[in-house]
Each structure stands twice: as structure tokens, then as C-alpha cells.
């Protein structure tokens, strides 16, 4: 359930009042099932073009190594490109995504890695079972009222003190994406948020915020990465 925005995508402004809150997960799953192949092509070389994201992932990997390693969940892994990158950095990473088509594609492209279908609203992981967790541009489709549930799931599955890395679009708007990635139809809301707001949610969920990095602040849609730790 990973997503990014480009100026070429049909990203229509829309009121959240027309959203059926019971169906947003199903809409997101169907949308990414539909665009899986095109999305994989879109992000295949994305990290090579983003040195600051690469540096953030390298620091995250260093944090994992510093606490002795262990399993690391890439939640909203999409086609598995970030999961594979972490593996190259020596991290025992595995991926989880809402979209079965994305997971099938990730397994084909990275047959030696583990990928599971699952929702971040109810992670299929045992309590305190992973060393670290990454959610790179996958919270962008989670509505505000579901964020506490998701962050509660992150804290539940992380071991005490474990690092968390989030990446997301920066802004104050929510938009309905009806088309993207090869022109295929989609129906997903894309939520842009301020880093301070995300940091406040993390503190409320029992995390200690360690660092914030704003990426491309002069771009039409800046990005941000936020480092935190499970607060024992």
C-alpha cells in the first residue's frame, strides 16, 4: 500500500465527506491490485534518484544493526523495492502489503525474500515480535481517524525500544486519486500531513520522536521522513 504522487497523475481535490469509511480499505486494495505492474515500473529505480531517502534508509539500517539485528517489517511494501534495498544493507527485512497483486509481484521480483498479505490496521504479527518497522509512503492512504489504530499496531508488534521510520507527503490537504500509474483507474484518498502533526500522533501512541527530515521543501509536494522509537 505504498504510494507517491506525480504531476501527471489525475489527483482530484475532493471532500472527505463523500468517503465511505467502511470501504476505504477495500478501495485501496482494489486500486493497487489494478495498478500493481505499472506502479512497480514507476518506483523501480526511485531510490537511486533520491539520495536523501537512501541516507535515511542507511541510518535506519545502522540503528537495526546497533541493537543486534532481527526481523524488520516493511509495512505497505508495494512491489518490495524498499524491502530488497534494506536486505542489501544487511537488514533481515520482510514485506507486508494490503494488495495481493502487489505481494505476488514482490514475490516474483524478489523470490528470496518474504512477503505477506496483511493490513496495517490489524498486522498479522505477534506482540513484540519484530526489531524495527518501516512505513515508507504507506500511511498516506490511512484516514486520520484510523491513524491511532495503525500506530497502536506498530507499537504492539515492535520490541521495546525498537526503531520506527515513517515517510509521507507533506501538506494540509486530502485528495481523491481517481487515476494513476499508467492511466489505470484508482479510488484512493491521498493524505498530506505536516511532520509536527505526525510526530504528535506518534507521541500519543507511545513513541519517542528522534528526528524529522524535510525533503524537497520547495517542491509542489514535499516529503518527510520521521525517526522514532518504541517507548518501553
Amino acid at each position: 500500500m505504498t504510494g507517491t504522487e506525480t504531476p501527471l497523475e489525475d489527483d482530484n481535490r475532493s471532500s472527505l465527506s463523500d468517503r465511505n469509511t467502511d470501504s476505504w480499505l477495500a478501495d485501496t486494495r482494489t486500486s493497487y491490485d489494478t495498478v500493481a505492474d505499472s506502479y512497480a515500473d514507476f518506483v523501480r529505480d526511485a531510490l537511486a534518484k533520491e539520495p536523501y531517502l537512501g541516507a535515511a534508509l542507511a541510518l535506519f539500517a545502522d540503528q537495526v544493526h546497533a541493537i543486534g539485528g532481527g526481523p524488520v517489517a516493511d509495512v505497505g511494501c508495494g512491489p518490495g523495492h524498499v524491502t530488497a534495498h534494506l536486505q542489501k544493507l544487511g537488514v533481515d527485512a520482510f514485506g507486508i502489503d494490503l494488495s495481493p497483486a502487489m505481494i505476488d509481484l514482490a514475490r516474483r521480483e524478489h523470490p528470496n525474500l518474504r512477503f505477506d498479505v496483511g493490513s496495517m490496521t490489524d498486522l498479522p504479527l505477534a506482540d513484540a515480535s519484530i526489531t524495527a518497522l518501516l512505513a515508507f509512503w504507506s500511511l498516506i492512504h490511512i484516514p486520520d481517524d484510523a491513524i491511532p489504530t495503525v500506530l497502536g499496531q506498530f507499537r504492539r508488534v515492535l520490541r521495546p525500544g525498537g526503531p520506527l521510520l515513517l515517510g509521507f507527503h507533506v501538506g494540509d490537504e486530502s485528495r481523491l486519486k481517481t487515476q494513476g500509474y499508467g492511466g489505470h483507474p484508482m479510488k484512493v484518498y491521498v493524505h498530506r500531513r505536516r511532520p509536527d502533526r505526525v510526530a504528535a500522533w506518534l507521541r500519543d501512541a507511545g513513541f519517542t520522536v528522534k528526528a524529522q527530515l524535510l525533503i524537497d521543501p520547495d517542491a509542489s509536494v514535499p516529503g518527510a521522513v520521521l525517526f522514532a522509537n518504541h517507548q518501553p
Side-chain angles (χ1 to χ4, degrees):
M1 199 163 60
T2 302
T4 57
E5 293 181 275
T6 72
L8 297 179
E9 292 163 5
D10 178 13
D11 197 14
N12 298 325
R13 192 183 305 270
S14 177
S15 169
L16 292 183
S17 63
D18 62 2
R19 184 190 68 203
N20 182 340
T21 55
D22 293 331
S23 67
W24 66 268
L25 275 174
D27 288 341
T28 303
R29 180 187 298 110
T30 299
S31 294
Y32 278 96
D33 280 348
T34 301
V35 304
D37 289 329
S38 296
Y39 181 76
D41 291 338
F42 178 73
V43 300
R44 197 176 309 280
D45 300 318
L47 288 177
K49 303 172 185 176
E50 297 287 350
Y52 296 104
L53 294 185
L57 290 171
L59 176 56
F60 180 68
D62 287 345
Q63 291 178 328
V64 173
H65 297 317
I67 57 176
V72 174
D74 177 9
V75 179
C77 66
H81 59 298
V82 175
T83 319
H85 184 80
L86 288 173
Q87 281 279 347
K88 291 178 181 177
L89 296 175
V91 174
D92 182 18
F94 66 97
I96 297 174
D97 200 274
L98 181 67
S99 163
M102 283 289 190
I103 291 299
D104 287 344
L105 193 153
R107 288 169 176 168
R108 292 197 307 269
E109 295 207 353
H110 310 288
N112 296 323
L113 303 185
R114 170 188 164 190
F115 294 98
D116 300 323
V117 176
S119 171
M120 64 179 69
T121 60
D122 187 16
L123 286 171
L125 300 170
D127 295 359
S129 61
I130 61 172
T131 296
L133 190 148
L134 168 84
F136 238 31
W137 277 264
S138 51
L139 286 178
I140 64 171
H141 300 309
I142 306 297
D144 287 0
D145 57 7
I147 290 289
T149 296
V150 169
L151 295 183
Q153 286 290 301
F154 289 179
R155 190 173 189 277
R156 177 185 67 79
V157 301
L158 272 169
R159 294 169 185 166
L164 170 70
L165 177 60
L166 303 181
F168 51 94
H169 296 312
V170 174
D172 299 298
E173 299 175 333
S174 294
R175 295 169 175 257
L176 177 63
K177 182 190 291 292
T178 58
Q179 186 182 52
Y181 312 115
H184 298 290
M186 301 183 76
K187 185 183 178 183
V188 291
Y189 279 91
V190 179
H191 306 288
R192 303 173 186 173
R193 289 155 173 147
R194 297 291 172 184
D196 287 347
R197 187 181 190 195
V198 177
W201 278 333
L202 283 169
R203 294 185 182 101
D204 289 344
F207 289 90
T208 301
V209 177
K210 294 295 187 179
Q212 300 176 19
L213 173 64
L214 188 63
I215 299 172
D216 291 333
D218 296 329
S220 59
V221 184
V225 292
L226 197 153
F227 289 84
N229 285 86
H230 176 290
Q231 182 176 307

